[in-house]
């Protein structure tokens, strides 16, 4: 029976430190003897939640909960988009079968295919200087085109029909796009049967490595639930700047759906908002109070958020506390975690007026997290 629920929410554009906080909360929960699960509430493997164990060991979690090293299991609810290719890659990188935790999946999860990814990357290339700043992982294309769900993977005839429907839809969209002839070399990949067969092999392996369960199973088998949101509140799909947002709910919508459907009491809920002491953003789109990194700290060196061809380099800005306050939704107990205080100091004690508890972190390790008196 569930005794406690935490919801980890990024307050800004992502990269706030949600992996650090989820790892911390998972350790606290497991040390209390709770059987703990991290629920990945939204997005797909474009999320990158970094957990540093020591100077030599770290992992950027994409398909697994950031509390994995503490003994927390992982659950993909119906709102999460699974990518079997990258799931298997991360499973092998972690040597997950030896960690001793379980990966659980709802049968209604939507599946990302390599054709969604390829089409996403192709469209970004065609946009040239007007790129949206996509991660190139095919998330937008997956939610807009015909859907393949985890429950379809077990029926080999049905999954092939759906996959080829996806391939055909993408191919038709491609040949109707302006200037598509300049990118004809992509066409053979969009209709590649070899790629399709390789992907279906990945689907088989994915299905072997996860256990298909329901939300009801989670609440009956775990003492503690930690919802680990992806991205941040300023990237939520309900905002206006559609081209530069993520096609998912980055707020409390998905955790609340689960909590309400399962009849959990709000009194056991703690909403844990996370922010750096400054702002960051990947890709294009508006960034509040954008500034040069030298105005934050001239010696910042982020080993996770490095330049890539789809989003470019990480951008920086300063927090606006008035806008910050507007994003706080009171649900259960409210806590605030302020990370990266060693890089840019703010008087976090001033923020105690908006949260029941304020935590600060002065490094990338969970041992530096401490509660303000």
């Amino acid at each position: 029976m569930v005794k406690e629920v935490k919801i980890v929410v990024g307050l800004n554009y992502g990269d706030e430190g949600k992996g650090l906080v989820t790892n911390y909360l998972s350790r606290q929960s497991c040390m209390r003897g709770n059987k703990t699960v991290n629920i990945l509430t939204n997005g797909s493997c474009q999320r990158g939640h970094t957990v540093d164990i020591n100077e030599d060991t770290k992992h950027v979690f994409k398909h697994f909960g950031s509390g994995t090293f503490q003994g927390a299991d992982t659950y993909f609810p119906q709102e999460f988009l699974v990518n079997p290719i990258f799931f298997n890659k991360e499973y092998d990188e972690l040597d997950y079968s030896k960690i001793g935790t379980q990966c659980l999946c709802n049968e209604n999860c939507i599946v990302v295919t390599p054709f969604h990814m390829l089409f996403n990357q192709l469209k970004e290339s065609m946009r040239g200087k007007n790129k949206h700043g996509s991660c190139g992982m095919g998330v937008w294309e997956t939610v807009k085109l015909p859907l393949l769900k985890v429950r379809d993977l077990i029926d080999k005839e049905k999954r092939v029909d759906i996959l080829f429907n996806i391939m055909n839809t993408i191919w038709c969209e491609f040949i109707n796009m302006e200037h598509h002839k300049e990118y004809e070399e992509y066409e053979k990949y969009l209709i590649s049967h070899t790629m399709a067969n390789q992907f279906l092999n990945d689907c088989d392996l994915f299905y072997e490595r996860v256990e298909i369960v329901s939300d009801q199973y989670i609440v009956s088998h775990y003492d503690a639930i930690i919802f680990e949101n992806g991205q941040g509140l300023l990237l939520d799909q309900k905002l206006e700047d559609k081209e530069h947002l993520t096609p998912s709910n980055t707020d409390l919508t998905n955790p609340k759906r689960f909590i309400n459907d399962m009849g959990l009491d709000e009194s056991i809920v703690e909403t844990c908002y996370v922010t750096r002491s400054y702002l960051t953003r990947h890709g294009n789109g508006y960034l509040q109070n954008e500034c040069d990194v030298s105005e934050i700290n001239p010696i910042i060196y982020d080993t996770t958020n490095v330049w890539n061809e789809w989003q470019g380099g990480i951008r920086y800005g300063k927090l606006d506390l008035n806008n910050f306050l507007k994003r706080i939704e009171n649900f259960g107990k409210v806590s605030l975690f302020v990370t990266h205080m060693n890089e840019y100091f703010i008087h976090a004690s001033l923020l105690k007026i908006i949260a029941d508890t304020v935590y600060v972190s002065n490094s990338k390790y969970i041992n530096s997290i401490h509660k303000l008196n």
Side-chain angles (χ1 to χ4, degrees), residues 42-47 62-63 80-83 112 139 231:
N42 68 301
S44 183
C45 63
Q46 88 274 34
R47 59 199 281 143
K62 297 177 178 295
H63 258 102
F80 189 74
L81 278 62
V82 297
N83 186 320
V112 182
V139 176
Q231 294 82 50

Side-chain angles (χ1 to χ4, degrees), residues 96-148:
Y96 188 78
S97 62
K98 296 180 181 178
I99 290 177
T101 60
Q102 286 185 294
C103 190
L104 313 167
C105 181
N106 190 287
E107 67 173 6
N108 290 314
C109 284
I110 297 170
V111 179
V112 182
T113 77
F115 302 100
H116 294 119
M117 295 169 57
L118 183 62
F119 195 37
N120 174 200
Q121 294 169 15
L122 172 59
K123 289 196 293 185
E124 275 289 82
S125 297
M126 295 175 75
R127 290 179 184 124
K129 295 181 180 179
N130 297 315
K131 282 184 178 180
H132 291 173
S134 166
C135 294
M137 300 305 292
V139 176
W140 271 105
E141 286 65 33
T142 299
V143 299
K144 292 196 301 183
L145 294 169
L147 301 179
L148 175 66

Side-chain angles (χ1 to χ4, degrees), residues 12-183:
N12 309 312
Y13 300 94
D15 296 302
E16 299 94 348
K18 296 182 292 297
L20 173 72
V21 172
T22 301
N23 187 34
Y24 170 81
L25 295 173
S26 296
R27 183 179 71 167
Q28 299 298 310
S29 178
C30 291
M31 287 178 64
R32 290 193 292 271
N34 289 330
K35 186 171 174 57
T36 305
V37 63
N38 297 158
I39 299 183
L40 308 192
T41 58
N42 68 301
S44 183
C45 63
Q46 88 274 34
R47 59 199 281 143
H49 293 181
T50 304
V51 170
D52 289 271
I53 303 302
N54 52 50
E55 284 296 334
D56 299 317
T57 306
K58 79 169 186 177
H59 183 75
V60 181
F61 287 95
K62 297 177 178 295
H63 258 102
F64 295 87
S66 296
T68 294
F69 293 150
Q70 305 298 339
D73 291 342
T74 296
Y75 177 54
F76 307 143
Q78 65 187 38
E79 294 90 351
F80 189 74
L81 278 62
V82 297
N83 186 320
I85 297 171
F86 282 87
F87 171 88
N88 289 325
K89 179 181 179 183
E90 188 174 4
Y91 187 102
D92 293 335
E93 287 174 353
L94 286 168
D95 205 359
Y96 188 78
S97 62
K98 296 180 181 178
I99 290 177
T101 60
Q102 286 185 294
C103 190
L104 313 167
C105 181
N106 190 287
E107 67 173 6
N108 290 314
C109 284
I110 297 170
V111 179
V112 182
T113 77
F115 302 100
H116 294 119
M117 295 169 57
L118 183 62
F119 195 37
N120 174 200
Q121 294 169 15
L122 172 59
K123 289 196 293 185
E124 275 289 82
S125 297
M126 295 175 75
R127 290 179 184 124
K129 295 181 180 179
N130 297 315
K131 282 184 178 180
H132 291 173
S134 166
C135 294
M137 300 305 292
V139 176
W140 271 105
E141 286 65 33
T142 299
V143 299
K144 292 196 301 183
L145 294 169
L147 301 179
L148 175 66
K149 296 194 174 183
V150 166
R151 65 170 181 262
D152 301 322
L153 299 182
I154 196 66
D155 185 331
K156 296 195 174 185
E157 184 175 338
K158 182 177 182 180
R159 72 182 187 179
V160 168
D161 288 342
I162 296 173
L163 181 59
F164 277 90
N165 186 24
I166 291 169
M167 292 168 63
N168 183 63
T169 302
I170 290 174
W171 181 78
C172 289
E173 283 202 21
F174 170 68
I175 62 173
N176 286 314
M177 291 174 68
E178 189 177 3
H179 305 303
H180 79 274
K181 289 185 181 292
E182 299 172 23
Y183 295 84

Side-chain angles (χ1 to χ4, degrees), residues 1 27 34 60 82 99 103 105 114 143 175 223 239 247 257 289 301 318 330-331 337 340 364:
M1 179 178 177
R27 183 179 71 167
N34 289 330
V60 181
V82 297
I99 290 177
C103 190
C105 181
V143 299
I175 62 173
D223 305 309
L239 300 178
R257 190 278 305 166
N289 300 326
Y301 178 67
K318 295 182 180 178
N330 290 311
F331 184 60
F337 286 77
H340 296 73
K364 56 190 177 181

Side-chain angles (χ1 to χ4, degrees), residues 75 102-106 207-213 217:
Y75 177 54
Q102 286 185 294
C103 190
L104 313 167
C105 181
N106 190 287
Y207 217 89
E208 290 175 11
R209 289 173 161 179
V210 301
E211 181 178 352
I212 307 302
V213 301
Y217 177 93

Side-chain angles (χ1 to χ4, degrees), residues 36 47 49 67 158 194 198 219 224 236 285 289 304 311 318 357:
T36 305
R47 59 199 281 143
H49 293 181
K158 182 177 182 180
T194 300
Q198 290 173 340
V219 298
D236 191 281
N289 300 326
T304 299
Q311 293 186 303
K318 295 182 180 178
T357 310

